[in-house]
Amino acid sequence: DTAVSQTPKYLVTQMGNDKSIKCEQNLGHDTMYWYKQDSKKFLKIMFSYNNKELIINETVPNRFSPKSPDKAHLNLHINSLELGDSAVYFCASSPGDRDSPLHFGNGTRLTVT
Amino acid sequence: AQSVTQLGSHVSVSEGALVLLRCNYSSSVPPYLFWYVQYPNQGLQLLLKYTSAATLVKGINGFEAEFKKSETSFHLTKPSAHMSDAAEYFCAVSDRGNTDKLIFGTGTRLQVFP
């Protein structure tokens, strides 16, 4: 009955590998997001999808590719992982209204060695 | 461009003391403002939000924040800290005139001592 769920919770991989993080929300929201939180806790938006359509792409390297098969899912695929990609990645969803809060998943801690 | 600044990356208080976490915003249009809390190894949870109704906003867990346009501030307060309040707190601004993305501050870690 988790509202926004991400898998996996932890991901440890080597440089150069390709990995995916999955996100699902059962809140019926139209908009989903990926945020990156670095080691200093700074949160920055990466992507936003509204009803499967990309609406925000914040100068993220094209090694990162979001995919939204339906409005309840937003996955993040990362190619050729680099050390600097190590961070916590949060999925979030909202109804899409500008005054509506975001509902966050518990995060995926990615460690690239 | 919208932005928020949180003064003080760390705040320490004794249990029972007043909690004050500072947030100043910059926005060319009246903003929507939010406070989120992040407990260790968890995602962010909404504490409260300001959307131009009342300037004093009450949130969960006894927190409240006051929107002061003249000071461009949205400070978070709680009269009496509890040990369970220890967490990371983020102020965020949403641009009313643009897409619905949230811009987060750099966060303030609140420590509560017995």
Side-chain angles (χ1 to χ4, degrees):
Chain A
D1 122 283
T2 307
V4 180
S5 58
Q6 304 178 219
T7 54
K9 188 173 174 66
Y10 299 97
L11 187 51
V12 181
T13 188
Q14 292 184 327
M15 278 184 0
N17 284 348
D18 303 338
K19 290 292 178 186
S20 291
I21 307 171
K22 295 186 176 182
C23 179
E24 176 181 3
Q25 55 98 1
N26 63 6
L27 297 167
H29 290 163
D30 286 336
T31 307
M32 295 185 73
Y33 310 79
W34 280 109
Y35 276 81
K36 179 180 180 180
Q37 187 174 46
D38 63 21
S39 58
K40 295 186 178 179
K41 300 286 188 178
F42 182 61
L43 269 161
K44 186 170 166 53
I45 190 167
M46 301 172 69
F47 301 103
S48 169
Y49 269 72
N50 182 274
N51 231 342
K52 303 193 298 176
E53 183 181 339
L54 179 67
I55 55 172
I56 296 175
N57 182 341
E58 287 283 310
T59 35
V60 178
N62 57 16
R63 297 182 296 103
F64 290 78
S65 52
K67 284 189 173 48
S68 181
D70 56 62
K71 75 172 194 176
H73 295 84
L74 181 62
N75 303 323
L76 184 65
H77 189 75
I78 315 170
N79 288 328
S80 303
L81 278 154
E82 300 177 357
L83 292 176
D85 297 332
S86 296
V88 182
Y89 293 85
F90 286 99
C91 178
S93 73
S94 85
D97 303 321
R98 294 188 187 97
D99 63 341
S100 296
L102 271 57
H103 295 254
F104 283 84
N106 284 335
T108 295
R109 183 176 293 276
L110 172 65
T111 304
V112 183
T113 61
Chain B
Q2 285 65 35
S3 66
V4 289
T5 302
Q6 292 184 241
L7 296 175
S9 58
H10 288 83
V11 170
S12 297
V13 299
S14 298
E15 194 171 20
L18 171 72
V19 175
L20 171 61
L21 305 182
R22 298 177 187 273
C23 173
N24 288 86
Y25 70 90
S26 170
S27 177
S28 56
V29 296
Y32 291 123
L33 293 160
F34 303 80
W35 274 100
Y36 284 83
V37 60
Q38 184 180 26
Y39 298 103
N41 298 315
Q42 292 186 29
L44 282 74
Q45 302 172 33
L46 179 72
L47 272 178
L48 49 81
K49 66 176 183 179
Y50 166 76
T51 58
S52 84
T55 56
L56 181 63
V57 182
K58 293 189 184 298
I60 62 170
N61 301 339
F63 284 93
E64 62 182 36
E66 187 172 8
F67 174 73
K68 291 187 177 180
K69 185 178 176 181
S70 60
E71 299 177 8
T72 62
S73 69
F74 190 57
H75 301 331
L76 182 70
T77 59
K78 182 174 180 177
S80 177
H82 193 272
M83 297 293 289
S84 61
D85 294 327
E88 192 89 24
Y89 290 80
F90 293 91
C91 182
V93 63
S94 173
D95 177 5
R96 289 189 177 202
N98 209 321
T99 55
D100 59 341
K101 67 179 181 181
L102 280 186
I103 308 296
F104 284 89
T106 49
T108 298
R109 171 157 292 182
L110 175 66
Q111 287 185 301
V112 182
F113 294 101

